[in-house]
């Protein structure tokens, strides 16, 4: 039995010894290095480009400009292909562009024999621009007659709305307590430690092989095919270990370019390895949201209705387009299903870097607004914010307001109770009840979230698993699901061991996905993998087990129904301590017996999951605020999650701590600064964009409320993304509790605190 | 301009012919084949390229290869001997201090220096955090890494 145990992580030794290979560790003799010439303005048109000096530099192999690339627009989002034309991603990219749309846009590409020459050559490409009006904020891009960032778009990428209940307006009008506010989040960048990198080469005249740091190898294959107008089968994408992605690599960024370059350069290997500075602007960011929210509650503390109006800023290119705003709105619905909700969102272009997927995909922005408003409703009712939430949050048996489907596994109330005890909510609140007036004040905050375990029914959910019995009785498992640090290979091994009935150590998971051989799966995103892969692995393991037992019957004459596989041996169902034969002996006979046997016993399953389990949780935090220094210190913080059954407690805790740490970064420190007038980016490096270091992150507590989700193979639900969602609102609510100052824009930097404290007369 | 440097790499004497503009990180990755040395920024911000030079942690991306001439360089490859993980590596495995793993070799070296520096001297979690402040990890939130180092120090004390 491997599920629920802290088995050794399958890739831990490879990683601590430095032997795990990442994309940059695949060097090829004669490999060329390519790099972009990036625009020095945020919006405009190239009027002249002179590459002669760069091309003349010894060691430069080629320089291509936007005039040399194919003129087929393509979409980059790491979404499954859609058969419905209305649901296709927005195709608004070329490999290079003469119309630059953000500070750092790609106008030319240089290929050189070594990196030093490459950098020198890039600096020698001379570019002149005609500037266009710069629009940094979504509202500016939406204004009547605004300059079109993409011709014909009116700067709009998408729009959606939904409503639950009878009449949100009437409910709000009748509500004795009404809240109306505006919530904003600013630009956050993923900052995975391995920057984007990809390498491509050709072994013959048709096939292009790409090695890439991607979360989505199978999707990348399709998009490269689309971008270059090539049959998808000619593209092969290999994904080795990757050094973090958090959504920025759920997008096709470098792959089409390296593929195009190797074709232009006789199949020679070409690598693009972005610098940190490029990676922070030239890949993806988190969408900044502006949310106008109205909410209503009654005096008994019932949340009656919420009305959200969202502008999601997608920046220079559509990438994931409107999906992020739509998903954030849809996943929020499970949290307070008894309140009526109206959700309207628009996604727009602007002259900032392109926004894409980032951990929890729209939910952090939407739930920040919701949990700030709920806090206000609670306080206006004169209620403990925790008691208010306990009264209103989802409970088992509640139904989704739109689909009418009941929530099957749901432990949010228990999460809140557990967090209450962990942080000592009641005692701490009682201690603070007397009020504070010194320069250092304490406050308590709580916030909840709801999320999902995939993208169904909006997108396809498909997973593949292949399990092969080796000659020695061990198995190899191949999945299309990608390990990106979250531990997916390890839980796949646990699942296979559990269902097959063999020791965990006998399961080898092939970590690398190679689209030529790996089963099809769309990849790591939406916290989907452990959920959707569970059903595929389980079914494959069951099929293989059946074949193994049939082989045992064949060899022994004992009815397979009387046999089971346990601990790596065939045993009697009725008497598991009685061993019939070792799996290794069975496998040898199956492979090599000249007369009999099934050969290589293999199960190969491709499965579509047509369910999507909501997950829940909350953050509790106690802060200390130094008013004169405008600084927030977290004294205590803990996240409590209902993620169904916990497959691996240590790794699950790691997801919670890592995600909550990212949430703390977004709450207190992180913002990519864009000049409001010029669109210039000030801090695209890790010194000036400060994501938390070891000394900035407090000890993060965690706990789980284990439920069993009936729609998943092992009772598990999503966990990878959710921990990032609720810390910011909890911290903001604690700041309010401590100081009486409520701030509706993230991040809560000293700069922002200073302005608000000043206005409130605190300093 | 090129220059020949002699270093002791993970205990073995090695000579490399280097471009004087090259960083130690580049030479370790491209010539020595010690691919555990990772690059996260190339300018001294992230610590992914941390190696030990005469047992002190250094960002090898901003350390010229020629400066290493005559010195002893340690990378993560050298910490595992005869198939045995070092105490730090072992603790990282046990405590779940590894996620995507790209920062791990750098952290292993920084933590090795920290645990070796003043043997027997107790370090609390805050001191460990300060000792690792030059290394960034975006996956773990650091707690498991701090616990791993704490465990090594406790083991040494036993
Ligand atoms: S790569 Fe050397 S410090 Fe980041
Ligand atoms: S484990 Fe991914 S950056 Fe540290």
């Amino acid at each position: 039995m491997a599920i629920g145990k802290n088995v050794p992580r399958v890739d831990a030794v490879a990683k601590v010894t430095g032997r795990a290979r990442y994309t940059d560790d695949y060097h090829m003799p004669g490999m060329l290095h390519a790099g972009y010439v990036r625009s020095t303005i945020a919006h405009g048109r190239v009027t002249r480009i002179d590459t002669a000096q760069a091309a003349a530099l010894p060691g430069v192999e080629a320089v291509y400009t936007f005039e040399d690339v194919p003129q087929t627009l393509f979409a980059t989002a790491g979404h499954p292909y859609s058969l419905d034309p209305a649901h296709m991603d927005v195709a608004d990219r070329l490999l290079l562009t003469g119309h630059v749309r953000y500070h750092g846009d790609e106008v030319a590409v240089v290929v050189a024999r070594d990196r030093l020459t490459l950098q020198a050559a890039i600096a020698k490409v001379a570019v002149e621009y005609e500037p266009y009006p710069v629009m940094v904020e979504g509202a500016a891009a939406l204004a009547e007659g605004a300059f079109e960032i993409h011709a014909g778009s009116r700067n709009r990428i998408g729009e959606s709305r939904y409503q639950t209940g009878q009449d949100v307006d009437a409910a709000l009008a009748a509500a004795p307590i009404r809240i109306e506010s505006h919530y904003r989040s600013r630009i956050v960048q993923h900052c995975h430690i391995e920057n984007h990198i990809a390498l491509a080469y050709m072994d013959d005249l048709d096939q292009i092989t790409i090695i890439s740091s991607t979360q989505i190898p199978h999707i990348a294959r399709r998009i490269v095919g689309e971008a270059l107008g090539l049959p998808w089968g000619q593209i092969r994408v290999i994904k080795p270990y990757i050094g973090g992605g958090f959504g920025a690599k759920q997008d096709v960024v470098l792959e089409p370019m390296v593929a195009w370059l190797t074709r232009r350069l006789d199949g020679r290997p070409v690598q693009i390895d972005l610098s940190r500075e490029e990676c922070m602007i030239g890949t993806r960011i988190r969408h900044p949201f502006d949310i106008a929210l109205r909410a209503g509650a009654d005096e008994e503390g019932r949340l009656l209705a919420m009305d959200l109006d969202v502008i999601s800023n997608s920046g220079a290119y559509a990438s994931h387009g409107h999906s992020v705003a739509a998903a954030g709105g849809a996943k929020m619905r499970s949290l307070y299903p008894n309140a009526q909700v109206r959700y309207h969102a628009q996604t727009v272009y602007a002259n900032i870097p392109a926004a894409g997927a980032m951990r929890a995909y729209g939910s952090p922005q939407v739930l920040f607004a919701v949990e700030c408003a709920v806090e206000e409703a609670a306080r206006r009712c004169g209620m403990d914010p925790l008691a208010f939430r306990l009264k209103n949050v989802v409970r088992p048996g509640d139904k989704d307001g739109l689909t009418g489907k009941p929530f099957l596994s749901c432990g949010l109330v228990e999460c809140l109770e557990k967090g209450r005890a962990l942080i000592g909510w009641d005692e701490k609140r009682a201690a603070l009840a007397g009020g504070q007036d010194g320069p250092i004040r304490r406050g308590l905050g709580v916030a909840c979230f709801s999320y999902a375990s995939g993208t169904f029914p909006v997108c396809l959910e498909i997973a593949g698993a292949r399990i092969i019995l080796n000659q020695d009785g061990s198995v190899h498992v191949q999945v299309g699901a990608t390990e990106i640090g979250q531990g997916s290979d390890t839980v796949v091994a646990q699942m296979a061991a559990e269902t097959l009935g063999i020791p965990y150590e006998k399961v080898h998971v092939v970590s690398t996905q190679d689209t030529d051989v790996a089963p099809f799966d769309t990849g790591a995103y939406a916290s989907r993998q452990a959920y959707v892969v569970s059903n595929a692995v389980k079914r494959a393991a069951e099929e293989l087990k059946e074949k193994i037992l049939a082989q045992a019957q064949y060899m022994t004459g004992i009815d397979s129904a009387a046999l089971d596989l346990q601990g790596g041996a065939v045993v009697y169902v009725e008497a598991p301590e009685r061993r019939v034969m070792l799996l290794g002996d069975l496998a040898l006979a199956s492979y090599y017996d000249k007369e009999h046997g099934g050969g290589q016993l293999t199960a190969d399953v491709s499965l579509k999951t047509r369910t999507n389990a909501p997950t829940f949780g909350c953050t509790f935090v106690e802060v200390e605020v130094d008013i004169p220094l405008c600084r927030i210190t977290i004294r205590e913080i803990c996240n409590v999650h209902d993620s169904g059954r916990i497959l691996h407690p240590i790794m699950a805790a790691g997801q919670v701590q890592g995600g909550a740490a990212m949430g703390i970064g977004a709450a207190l420190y992180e913002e990519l600064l864009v000049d409001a007038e010029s669109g210039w980016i000030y801090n695209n490096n890790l010194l000036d964009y400060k994501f938390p270091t070891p000394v900035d992150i407090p000890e993060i507590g965690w706990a789980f409320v284990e439920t069993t989700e009936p729609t998943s193979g092992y009772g598990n639900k999503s966990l990878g993304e959710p921990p990032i969602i609720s810390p910011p609102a909890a911290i903001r609510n604690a700041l309010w509790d401590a100081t009486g100052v409520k701030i509706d824009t993230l991040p809560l930097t000293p700069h922002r605190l200073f302005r608000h404290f000043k206005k409130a007369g605190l300093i | 301009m090129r220059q020949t440097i002699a270093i002791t790499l993970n205990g073995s004497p090695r000579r490399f012919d280097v471009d004087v503009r090259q960083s130690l990180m580049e030479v370790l990755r491209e010539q020595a084949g010690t691919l555990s040395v990772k690059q996260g920024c190339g300018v001294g911000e992230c610590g992914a390229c941390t190696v030990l030079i005469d047992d002190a942690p250094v960002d090898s991306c901003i350390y010229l290869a020629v400066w290493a001439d005559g010195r002893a360089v340690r990378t993560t490859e050298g910490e595992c001997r005869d198939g045995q993980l070092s105490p730090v590596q072992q603790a990282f495995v046990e405590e779940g201090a590894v996620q995507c793993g790209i920062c791990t070799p750098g952290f292993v070296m920084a933590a090795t220096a920290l645990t070796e520096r003043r043997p027997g001297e107790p370090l609390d979690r805050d001191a460990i955090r300060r000792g690792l402040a030059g290394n960034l990890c975006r996956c773990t939130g650091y707690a498991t890494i701090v616990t791993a180092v704490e465990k090594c120090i406790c083991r040494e004390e036993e």
Side-chain angles (χ1 to χ4, degrees), chain A residues 427-511:
Chain A
E427 305 77 56
K428 283 187 170 141
R429 248 179 88 78
L432 291 175
Q436 312 168 73
D437 51 15
I440 314 276
R441 299 182 197 173
R442 289 190 185 174
L444 283 173
V446 60
C448 308
F449 74 84
S450 54
Y451 201 62
S453 302
T455 61
F456 188 81
V458 178
C459 289
L460 159 83
E461 282 300 358
I462 180 168
R466 182 181 301 137
I467 312 183
I468 297 165
L469 178 65
N470 295 321
Q471 295 97 320
D472 61 1
S474 66
V475 299
H476 263 73
V477 183
Q478 271 187 298
V479 286
T482 58
E483 168 67 59
I484 64 166
Q486 80 285 53
S488 112
D489 284 352
T490 301
V491 299
V492 163
Q494 289 177 277
M495 292 169 183
E498 178 94 5
T499 301
L500 273 171
I502 65 171
Y504 170 77
E505 307 73 51
K506 297 272 187 192
V507 181
H508 311 282
V509 177
V510 181
S511 190

Side-chain angles (χ1 to χ4, degrees), chain A residues 462-757:
Chain A
I462 180 168
R466 182 181 301 137
I467 312 183
I468 297 165
L469 178 65
N470 295 321
Q471 295 97 320
D472 61 1
S474 66
V475 299
H476 263 73
V477 183
Q478 271 187 298
V479 286
T482 58
E483 168 67 59
I484 64 166
Q486 80 285 53
S488 112
D489 284 352
T490 301
V491 299
V492 163
Q494 289 177 277
M495 292 169 183
E498 178 94 5
T499 301
L500 273 171
I502 65 171
Y504 170 77
E505 307 73 51
K506 297 272 187 192
V507 181
H508 311 282
V509 177
V510 181
S511 190
T512 299
Q513 275 72 38
D514 173 339
T515 55
D516 273 11
V517 288
F520 187 86
D521 184 299
T522 45
Y525 56 85
S527 300
R528 61 184 281 282
Q529 285 193 157
Y531 180 68
V532 300
V533 95
S534 68
N535 293 318
V537 172
K538 190 171 188 191
R539 179 151 333 155
E542 283 166 354
E543 281 182 17
L544 181 61
K545 186 171 169 179
E546 217 168 281
K547 288 184 185 177
I548 289 168
L549 296 181
Q551 171 76 16
Q553 171 175 347
Y554 190 70
M555 289 168 69
T556 61
I558 306 167
D559 184 354
S560 68
L563 298 175
D564 193 14
L565 193 53
Q566 286 185 21
V570 179
V571 298
Y572 290 98
V573 175
E574 297 297 332
E577 68 291 348
R578 280 183 58 207
R579 178 184 288 170
V580 178
M581 68 173 74
L582 285 171
L583 188 52
D585 295 333
L586 178 145
L588 267 184
S590 180
Y591 271 86
Y592 298 116
D593 187 315
K594 281 194 186 127
E595 310 292 326
H596 317 288
Q600 184 183 45
L601 300 184
T602 302
D604 201 337
V605 166
S606 176
L607 200 74
K608 291 182 180 171
T609 293
R610 294 187 182 84
T611 52
N612 189 349
T615 40
F616 305 95
C618 52
T619 301
F620 284 81
V621 65
E622 183 190 15
V623 300
E624 188 167 273
V625 186
D626 184 323
I627 292 173
L629 279 182
C630 301
R631 204 165 62 191
I632 300 174
T633 307
I634 294 173
R635 288 180 50 83
E636 215 177 320
I637 185 164
C638 68
N639 263 28
V640 190
H641 290 258
D642 162 18
S643 284
R645 197 158 162 215
I646 297 303
L647 303 173
H648 188 294
I650 286 186
M651 291 201 316
Q655 287 306 300
V656 176
Q657 289 174 323
M662 257 183 163
I664 291 170
L668 296 180
Y669 309 111
E670 295 179 37
E671 178 175 4
L672 195 69
L673 296 166
V674 184
D675 186 81
E677 255 137 56
S678 67
W680 277 37
I681 293 154
Y682 291 120
N683 60 341
N684 53 322
N685 61 71
L686 297 178
L687 271 191
D688 301 317
Y689 179 102
K690 278 278 280 179
F691 86 72
T693 73
V695 293
D696 302 314
I697 291 294
E699 299 295 339
I700 296 167
W702 78 90
F704 296 105
V705 168
E706 288 201 58
T707 56
T708 301
E709 170 57 36
T711 61
S712 117
Y714 301 88
N716 55 299
K717 304 193 281 187
S718 69
L719 182 57
E721 297 167 286
I724 200 176
I725 302 173
S726 46
I731 294 169
R732 174 269 188 194
N733 292 341
L735 169 70
W736 184 9
D737 190 49
T739 62
V741 175
K742 72 185 155 84
I743 302 182
D744 295 337
T745 300
L746 292 175
L748 304 169
T749 54
H751 187 87
R752 187 161 281 127
L753 262 51
F754 175 77
R755 276 191 277 119
H756 282 85
F757 286 173

Side-chain angles (χ1 to χ4, degrees), chain B residues 5 22 24 27 29 31 33 40 50-51 56 58 62 66 72 76 93 98 101 104 110 114 122-124 141 152:
Chain B
I5 60 168
Q22 274 183 307
L24 179 60
V27 171
R29 285 189 58 81
Q31 290 194 48
T50 305
V51 301
V58 166
I62 49 167
V66 292
T76 311
V93 172
V98 178
T104 307
L114 197 61
L123 282 179
D124 63 15
C152 292

